[in-house]
């Protein structure tokens, strides 16, 4: 009889809605990258090529079971390490692993989207993500991270931002980039004799080209950044300096011009 079937249909509907909402609550959050752990030998080499040491604050984006932040503190004596992962199950595993290693005072894990966290204070950034995720991260890294920050990626590149170093470990590629200082624009250089001339620097990631203008004469220049250290070859001479915002202090050194400085115009 229909009158008897209605309560049954209603309870089926209520059951379906309830189970759907429970399933939605327990579903893993939308991940940009599936979980695949980095082999331990690759973790070791990633942290070695980043030259992690006691001064470093290491952040692993998409930290999985926490193996990279834990190894950074345990094996490389990093000052502090943070892992960020969107999947609560991974965070729980990572926290348990940090606890087992007795490192909970220096290794932390945050459940969240890696694109929504402030990563600007890391001195070393590690990742095993995907090419399109690396590419989305690239402007954040270049604009917000301090010059000299080391960025290490397992397996994937940053498209046309050429790595400063790459190598293969047990069949896996590792890439290292050093975040370059921002030098694009016009600078006035003063040499050791007090003479001044203007240089125009064009920057593409760590690669520099441009021109040097001395009175009516103009000549091309080429250069490269290693973090905040700028090397320029111009007028047959090599200039090496340290960039600090709108100033560059000449460093001199073997075969390089000494006693120079520059200011941004
Ligand atoms: C390939 S695994 C790498 C795990 C670990 N870094 C390693 O190398 O062993 C990628 C990790 O990123 C996490 N993930 C995916 N999308 C994310 C997002 N938008 N924000 C934070 N974590 C994310 C996944 O849950 C997974 O644990």
């Amino acid at each position: 009889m229909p009158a008897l079937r209605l309560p049954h249909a209603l309870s089926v509907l209520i059951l379906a809605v309830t189970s759907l909402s429970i399933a939605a609550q327990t579903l893993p959050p939308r991940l940009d990258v599936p979980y695949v752990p980095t082999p331990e030998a690759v973790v070791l080499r990633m942290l070695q090529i980043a030259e992690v040491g006691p001064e470093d604050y290491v952040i692993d984006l998409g930290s999985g079971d926490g193996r990279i932040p834990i190894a950074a503190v345990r094996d490389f004596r990093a000052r502090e390490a943070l892992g960020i992962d969107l999947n609560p199950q991974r965070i729980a595993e990572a926290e348990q692993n940090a606890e087992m290693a007795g490192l909970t005072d220096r290794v932390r894990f945050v459940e969240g989207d890696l694109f929504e966290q402030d990563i600007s204070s890391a001195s070393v950034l590690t990742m095993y993500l995907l090419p399109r995720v690396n590419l989305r991260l690239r402007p954040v890294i270049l604009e917000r991270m301090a010059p000299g920050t080391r960025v290490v990626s397992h397996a994937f590149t940053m498209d046309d931002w050429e790595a400063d170093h790459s190598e293969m470990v047990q069949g896996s590629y590792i890439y290292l980039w050093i975040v370059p200082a921002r030098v694009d624009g016009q600078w006035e250089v003063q040499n050791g004799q007090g003479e001044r001339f203007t240089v125009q620097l064009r920057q593409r990631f760590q690669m520099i080209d441009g021109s040097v203008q001395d009175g009516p004469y103009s000549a091309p220049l080429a250069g490269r950044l290693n973090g905040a250290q700028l090397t320029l070859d111009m007028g047959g001479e090599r200039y090496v300096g340290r960039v600090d915002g709108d100033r560059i202090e000449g460093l001199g050194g073997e075969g390089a011009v000494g006693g120079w400085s520059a200011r941004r115009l």
Side-chain angles (χ1 to χ4, degrees), residues 30-38 60-65 67-68 84-87 90 112-115 127-129 154:
R30 194 191 62 74
L31 298 174
D32 292 291
V33 188
Y35 177 54
V36 183
T38 296
D60 186 34
L61 298 176
S63 47
D65 67 358
R67 58 185 60 203
I68 295 178
I84 300 165
D85 206 292
L86 199 50
N87 191 336
R90 297 281 97 80
D113 190 329
L114 61 92
F115 290 107
M127 64 194 69
Y128 179 21
L129 298 168
H154 172 195

Side-chain angles (χ1 to χ4, degrees), residues 60-231:
D60 186 34
L61 298 176
S63 47
D65 67 358
R67 58 185 60 203
I68 295 178
I70 290 170
V73 169
R74 185 192 57 211
D75 305 333
F76 291 80
R77 297 183 298 118
R79 172 171 59 82
E80 200 185 337
L82 172 71
I84 300 165
D85 206 292
L86 199 50
N87 191 336
Q89 195 189 331
R90 297 281 97 80
I91 293 292
E93 284 165 17
E95 281 174 343
Q96 200 180 0
N97 289 338
E99 195 158 337
M100 275 174 358
L103 294 174
T104 48
D105 55 335
R106 282 156 66 204
V107 183
R108 285 186 307 123
F109 294 95
V110 168
E111 182 188 324
D113 190 329
L114 61 92
F115 290 107
E116 286 166 17
Q117 306 295 316
D118 179 6
I119 55 170
S120 60
S121 53
S123 57
V124 175
L125 195 63
T126 57
M127 64 194 69
Y128 179 21
L129 298 168
L130 281 172
R132 65 184 148 77
V133 182
N134 282 10
L135 208 53
R136 259 183 84 192
L137 274 170
R138 196 173 84 174
V140 179
I141 292 170
L142 286 165
E143 283 156 31
R144 305 226 192 112
M145 308 210 71
T149 304
R150 289 92 82 206
V151 179
V152 187
S153 169
H154 172 195
F156 300 112
T157 67
M158 293 271 180
D159 200 37
D160 57 344
W161 179 12
E162 199 184 298
D164 291 290
H165 173 83
S166 66
E167 62 181 58
M168 190 183 257
V169 178
Q170 294 186 353
S172 296
Y173 273 108
I174 307 176
Y175 300 93
L176 167 76
W177 297 265
I178 313 287
V179 175
R182 292 164 276 278
V183 297
D184 205 75
Q186 207 173 30
W187 297 77
E188 182 187 67
V189 177
Q190 181 170 334
N191 66 18
Q193 291 75 51
E195 296 161 337
R196 291 160 199 256
F197 52 93
T198 306
V199 298
Q200 182 72 41
L201 302 182
R202 274 189 305 266
Q203 177 170 8
R204 185 146 178 79
F205 309 113
Q206 69 274 58
M207 307 308 283
I208 308 294
D209 67 12
S211 57
V212 49
Q213 191 79 37
D214 192 1
Y217 305 105
S218 173
L221 63 79
R224 190 179 174 114
L225 282 153
N226 180 353
Q229 183 167 311
L230 174 67
T231 301

